[in-house]
PDB file of all heavy atoms in Angstrom:
ATOM      1  N   PRO A  50     -13.525 -22.168 -10.262  1.00 97.00           N
ATOM      2  CA  PRO A  50     -13.059 -21.218 -11.286  1.00 97.00           C
ATOM      3  C   PRO A  50     -13.468 -19.783 -10.968  1.00 97.00           C
ATOM      4  O   PRO A  50     -12.691 -18.854 -11.216  1.00 97.00           O
ATOM      5  CB  PRO A  50     -13.740 -21.735 -12.563  1.00 97.00           C
ATOM      6  CG  PRO A  50     -13.924 -23.200 -12.327  1.00 97.00           C
ATOM      7  CD  PRO A  50     -14.236 -23.328 -10.866  1.00 97.00           C
ATOM      8  N   GLY A  94      10.410  16.613 -17.849  1.00 94.00           N
ATOM      9  CA  GLY A  94       9.829  17.209 -19.039  1.00 94.00           C
ATOM     10  C   GLY A  94       9.524  16.236 -20.147  1.00 94.00           C
ATOM     11  O   GLY A  94       9.139  16.629 -21.256  1.00 94.00           O
ATOM     12  N   PHE A 139      -7.136  10.622  -3.132  1.00 97.00           N
ATOM     13  CA  PHE A 139      -7.317  12.040  -3.460  1.00 97.00           C
ATOM     14  C   PHE A 139      -7.112  12.910  -2.225  1.00 97.00           C
ATOM     15  O   PHE A 139      -6.520  13.989  -2.307  1.00 97.00           O
ATOM     16  CB  PHE A 139      -8.701  12.270  -4.069  1.00 97.00           C
ATOM     17  CG  PHE A 139      -8.761  12.007  -5.549  1.00 97.00           C
ATOM     18  CD1 PHE A 139      -8.946  10.721  -6.034  1.00 97.00           C
ATOM     19  CD2 PHE A 139      -8.611  13.032  -6.459  1.00 97.00           C
ATOM     20  CE1 PHE A 139      -8.986  10.459  -7.396  1.00 97.00           C
ATOM     21  CE2 PHE A 139      -8.659  12.790  -7.825  1.00 97.00           C
ATOM     22  CZ  PHE A 139      -8.848  11.493  -8.304  1.00 97.00           C
ATOM     23  N   ALA A 170     -10.403  -5.805   0.778  1.00 98.00           N
ATOM     24  CA  ALA A 170     -10.795  -5.937  -0.632  1.00 98.00           C
ATOM     25  C   ALA A 170     -10.473  -7.333  -1.145  1.00 98.00           C
ATOM     26  O   ALA A 170     -11.266  -7.942  -1.883  1.00 98.00           O
ATOM     27  CB  ALA A 170     -10.077  -4.886  -1.477  1.00 98.00           C
ATOM     28  N   PHE A 203      12.146  10.052   5.091  1.00 88.00           N
ATOM     29  CA  PHE A 203      13.402  10.565   5.642  1.00 88.00           C
ATOM     30  C   PHE A 203      14.293  11.192   4.578  1.00 88.00           C
ATOM     31  O   PHE A 203      14.808  12.299   4.750  1.00 88.00           O
ATOM     32  CB  PHE A 203      14.157   9.439   6.360  1.00 88.00           C
ATOM     33  CG  PHE A 203      13.529   9.019   7.652  1.00 88.00           C
ATOM     34  CD1 PHE A 203      12.833   7.817   7.749  1.00 88.00           C
ATOM     35  CD2 PHE A 203      13.625   9.816   8.775  1.00 88.00           C
ATOM     36  CE1 PHE A 203      12.261   7.416   8.944  1.00 88.00           C
ATOM     37  CE2 PHE A 203      13.054   9.433   9.975  1.00 88.00           C
ATOM     38  CZ  PHE A 203      12.365   8.226  10.069  1.00 88.00           C
ATOM     39  N   VAL A 271      14.592  -4.657  12.243  1.00 95.00           N
ATOM     40  CA  VAL A 271      14.522  -3.427  11.445  1.00 95.00           C
ATOM     41  C   VAL A 271      14.617  -2.204  12.359  1.00 95.00           C
ATOM     42  O   VAL A 271      15.262  -1.211  12.015  1.00 95.00           O
ATOM     43  CB  VAL A 271      13.232  -3.397  10.600  1.00 95.00           C
ATOM     44  CG1 VAL A 271      13.109  -2.077   9.845  1.00 95.00           C
ATOM     45  CG2 VAL A 271      13.207  -4.563   9.618  1.00 95.00           C
ATOM     46  N   PHE A 305       0.284 -15.086   5.870  1.00 98.00           N
ATOM     47  CA  PHE A 305      -1.153 -15.244   6.107  1.00 98.00           C
ATOM     48  C   PHE A 305      -1.761 -16.216   5.121  1.00 98.00           C
ATOM     49  O   PHE A 305      -2.595 -17.067   5.494  1.00 98.00           O
ATOM     50  CB  PHE A 305      -1.859 -13.883   6.018  1.00 98.00           C
ATOM     51  CG  PHE A 305      -2.107 -13.253   7.355  1.00 98.00           C
ATOM     52  CD1 PHE A 305      -1.303 -12.236   7.805  1.00 98.00           C
ATOM     53  CD2 PHE A 305      -3.144 -13.680   8.166  1.00 98.00           C
ATOM     54  CE1 PHE A 305      -1.509 -11.649   9.039  1.00 98.00           C
ATOM     55  CE2 PHE A 305      -3.372 -13.112   9.407  1.00 98.00           C
ATOM     56  CZ  PHE A 305      -2.548 -12.082   9.846  1.00 98.00           C
ATOM     57  N   TYR A 309      -3.581 -19.938   6.144  1.00 98.00           N
ATOM     58  CA  TYR A 309      -4.994 -20.236   5.876  1.00 98.00           C
ATOM     59  C   TYR A 309      -5.165 -21.294   4.783  1.00 98.00           C
ATOM     60  O   TYR A 309      -6.260 -21.825   4.603  1.00 98.00           O
ATOM     61  CB  TYR A 309      -5.733 -18.954   5.477  1.00 98.00           C
ATOM     62  CG  TYR A 309      -6.180 -18.142   6.672  1.00 98.00           C
ATOM     63  CD1 TYR A 309      -5.268 -17.379   7.405  1.00 98.00           C
ATOM     64  CD2 TYR A 309      -7.503 -18.151   7.100  1.00 98.00           C
ATOM     65  CE1 TYR A 309      -5.664 -16.639   8.496  1.00 98.00           C
ATOM     66  CE2 TYR A 309      -7.913 -17.415   8.198  1.00 98.00           C
ATOM     67  CZ  TYR A 309      -7.001 -16.668   8.893  1.00 98.00           C
ATOM     68  OH  TYR A 309      -7.397 -15.932   9.997  1.00 98.00           O
TER      69      TYR A 309
END
Side-chain angles (χ1 to χ4, degrees):
F139 276 84
F203 288 106
V271 176
F305 262 102
Y309 277 76

